[in-house]
Structure formats: structure tokens, C-alpha cells
Amino acid sequence: MEEDIRIVEAAESNLDDLCRLCIPPERQADPSFMKGVELKKIWARDIIKQWGSVAKIAYLEGTPAGLIQYIPVLEEMVVYITCIFVPHREHWRRGVGRRLLTSLIEDMRNPKSWFSGESPSALVTRPFPGEKPGQYPARSFFRDMGFKQVGEDPSLLYYPLKHGFVYRPVEQKKPIYIHQEDDRGKVVIMYNPSFCLWSYVFLKRSEQEIREAVQSLHVRWINSWEEPIEAKKRGISEGIIVNGRLISSFMLDDREAFIKEVLAALE
Ligand SMILES: CC(C)(COP(=O)(O)OP(=O)(O)OC[C@H]1O[C@@H](n2cnc3c(N)ncnc32)[C@H](O)[C@@H]1OP(=O)(O)O)[C@@H](O)C(=O)NCCC(=O)NCCS
């Protein structure tokens, strides 16, 4: 029997669904996630005001079951998919992901005001491994759905929306941290509100790890949206700076390497 799946554009009326869907059920009351939801809502309101839309939510038998998030890239005339996710096991493999993506493809065949009334040339994505244990990876899903690899880079995929279009990404300069004397002797955690509330949760966890490893350290949070001048002078909008050095290890990938780098920066 055909599943009852409804795809709805993200809007003020369903912001709660958009911002809470990815929270694991056992973390619904966790303060880090609550704060992440609050920050994501601010981000979503702002971006909806700017672009009219940023995401689609799938309702399976009336329950929020999945989302796809995207953003127009004006200089490339493409739409970048930042995330697709069907978080809960009971919703997997019931056609939710496919419906979300096909809905986006259909929508993006239409003219868009972002592109001065033209339709985008392609959908582009760099899926990150955020799947739950036993879940199907986004990269395999996009390949199944007809996305092609960009050049030699297996992690960058695209789906042409115009006949014969071949995507060639515009070279992006990697942001480099500009040292500030003011960052010495403390931890500066730079946060950039975005489509993913997990990024706030990960930074919060990193802060906890640092506080456990090093007592009585001053920690300053900078929200790059609220303090754009602070972000601009550092050249980066997200990251952890310890005693004036940007930490390159990612706490969740390798906790030991992360703490080692933090301690070395403090020497
Ligand atoms: C990829 C994902 C969106 C698919 O969602 P879904 O609703 O379960 O997928 P669908 O039922 O729509 O399946 C669509 C197609 O994907 C493929 N597919 C999905 N799950 C599969 C599985 N377990 N095994 C093999 N193929 C699979 C199949 O080609 C399927 O088509 P078919 O059913 O006609 O064979 C979902 O598994 C997911 O969220 N994965 C994690 C993605 C992620 O890491 N996001 C970032 C999180 S922060």
C-alpha cells in the first residue's frame, strides 16, 4: 500500500518540526539541544526571510519524519543541498527520503527569484557521514538517485537540472584564522548558527571536555551572527581557539588528539 507522505515547505508554522526533528528522543530535554534548537530557529527565520525557503519537511502519516535543507549558490547558479535526514528507524526505507528529494528536484525546475527568474542548473551536495548505526549513508542514497561525482572528488556530487550541464565548482579559499592578542590565555569558541543544530551541541561537548582537562580557564563564546566584527577580524566564523591557536582536531573524531592539541596550545 502507498505510504501517506506529505512534503511541506519550511515556514514559521512548522519551525518547531524543522528544528526538533533531528534530536534523539532521549535528548529532548537536554539543555545543549534546547539551546541548539533556539539558535537554529533564529537562523531559519532569518534565512526564510532572505530566500523565502530553506527546507522541506516530510510528514509520514502526519508525523514529522524527514527533512531536506538547501541553499542557493548565486555565483554558481546551483542549489546546494546541505542535509537530508530521516532520523528515526521506524521511518526508514518507506520512501520518505526519495519523496523529499524528488519534491526538491521538481521545485527547482521552476524559475527562482534568487537567480533573476532563471531556474538553477543543478543540485549539488557534499554529503557528510551523519548516519545512525545501521542507517543508509547519504552518499549512497544520492548516487542511487542519479547524482554524479564531480571530477575526481568522490564526496562532491551533483544532479544536472539542465540538459548537458556539467558542474565545475568555483574555487573557494579556505578560511584562515587571524591571530588576535585578545585570544591569548583563554578559550574562544566561535559558533555560526546554521542548518545543523548538532554543530552547537558538538562545540558545547568540546567545551565540557576542555573544562574537565583544564580547570579555571576563561571561556568566551562568540556567536558570529551576533558579533560579525569579532568573526571578521578572526577570519573564521566557527572553531575553537585556545590561547590564540586554532584547534584543528575534531573532538568527536579523536578525543585524545583534541585534548593533546588543547594542552599543547596552553603551554
Ligand atoms: C539516506 C536517507 C535520507 C534515505 O531515507 P529513506 O526514507 O530511508 O529512503 P527511501 O525509503 O526513500 O529510499 C530511497 C532509495 O534509497 C536507497 N536506500 C535507502 N535505504 C536503503 C538501504 N537500507 N539499503 C539499500 N538501499 C537503500 C534505495 O535505492 C531506495 O530506493 P528503493 O526503496 O526503491 O530501493 C536516510 O537513510 C538517512 O537519513 N541517512 C542518513 C543521512 C545523513 O547522514 N544525514 C546527515 C545527518 S546529520
Side-chain angles (χ1 to χ4, degrees):
M1 205 178 78
E2 181 113 327
E3 295 275 16
D4 166 23
I5 300 171
R6 201 164 49 94
I7 308 295
V8 178
E9 205 66 39
E12 184 61 40
S13 54
N14 55 28
L15 274 196
D16 236 28
D17 294 341
L18 177 73
C19 299
R20 301 188 75 94
L21 184 61
C22 303
I23 307 180
E26 69 281 8
R27 297 301 179 108
Q28 290 288 337
D30 182 316
S32 296
F33 281 92
M34 294 303 92
K35 182 74 181 168
V37 167
E38 188 192 309
L39 290 163
K40 181 168 174 178
K41 273 191 186 170
I42 296 170
W43 168 84
R45 279 202 183 96
D46 206 84
I47 214 103
I48 288 173
K49 209 184 287 167
Q50 190 179 353
W51 300 116
S53 183
V54 279
K56 293 175 192 290
I57 306 166
Y59 292 85
L60 177 60
E61 289 161 3
T63 303
L67 52 76
I68 191 163
Q69 305 187 95
Y70 54 94
I71 200 89
V73 183
L74 300 188
E75 62 276 25
E76 296 186 343
M77 286 280 289
V78 300
V79 167
Y80 189 90
I81 300 174
T82 47
C83 177
I84 185 164
F85 198 26
V86 179
H88 308 302
R89 185 178 288 271
E90 67 271 23
H91 299 143
W92 297 353
R93 206 71 201 267
R94 292 171 67 179
V96 173
R98 180 188 291 276
R99 282 288 303 279
L100 281 164
L101 182 60
T102 50
S103 164
L104 182 66
I105 292 172
E106 279 164 27
D107 186 2
M108 292 306 145
R109 290 196 191 280
N110 296 318
K112 292 288 161 198
S113 55
W114 327 309
F115 300 125
S116 314
E118 294 246 349
S119 61
S121 305
L123 298 176
V124 177
T125 189
R126 190 184 282 282
F128 52 94
E131 68 274 9
K132 292 186 165 178
Q135 193 176 22
Y136 203 56
R139 194 192 291 185
S140 311
F141 166 80
F142 282 116
R143 283 187 177 275
D144 292 349
M145 300 297 284
F147 278 62
K148 304 176 191 187
Q149 180 174 319
V150 178
E152 301 295 300
D153 186 349
S155 60
L156 186 60
L157 306 173
Y158 78 109
Y159 184 96
L161 293 168
K162 290 189 175 158
H163 185 70
F165 177 78
V166 178
Y167 175 62
R168 300 211 194 286
V170 171
E171 286 271 329
Q172 299 276 0
K173 274 201 196 130
K174 205 171 172 264
I176 295 173
Y177 167 59
I178 304 162
H179 176 80
Q180 301 294 309
E181 271 311 295
D182 193 37
D183 294 347
R184 278 198 195 278
K186 59 171 85 94
V187 173
V188 178
I189 301 181
M190 303 200 51
Y191 171 66
N192 195 26
S194 75
F195 66 92
C196 183
L197 66 88
W198 282 94
S199 57
Y200 174 79
V201 174
F202 292 153
L203 286 170
K204 206 67 201 161
R205 282 193 194 159
S206 305
E207 179 189 11
Q208 272 166 11
E209 292 287 343
I210 295 173
R211 284 189 186 278
E212 274 165 33
V214 191
Q215 270 84 47
S216 65
L217 198 60
H218 178 59
V219 178
R220 175 184 179 190
W221 278 76
I222 294 176
N223 180 325
S224 299
W225 273 33
E226 288 168 1
E227 298 181 77
I229 295 169
E230 294 299 317
K232 196 167 178 222
K233 71 183 184 192
R234 288 173 177 78
I236 55 167
S237 53
E238 190 150 302
I240 298 177
I241 300 155
V242 176
N243 198 21
R245 271 161 66 179
L246 183 69
I247 301 301
S248 59
S249 316
F250 184 47
M251 198 275 291
L252 286 187
D253 283 348
D254 190 340
R255 185 193 163 276
E256 214 173 296
F258 173 75
I259 294 297
K260 209 168 148 189
E261 202 183 338
V262 168
L263 295 176
L266 285 167
E267 267 168 21

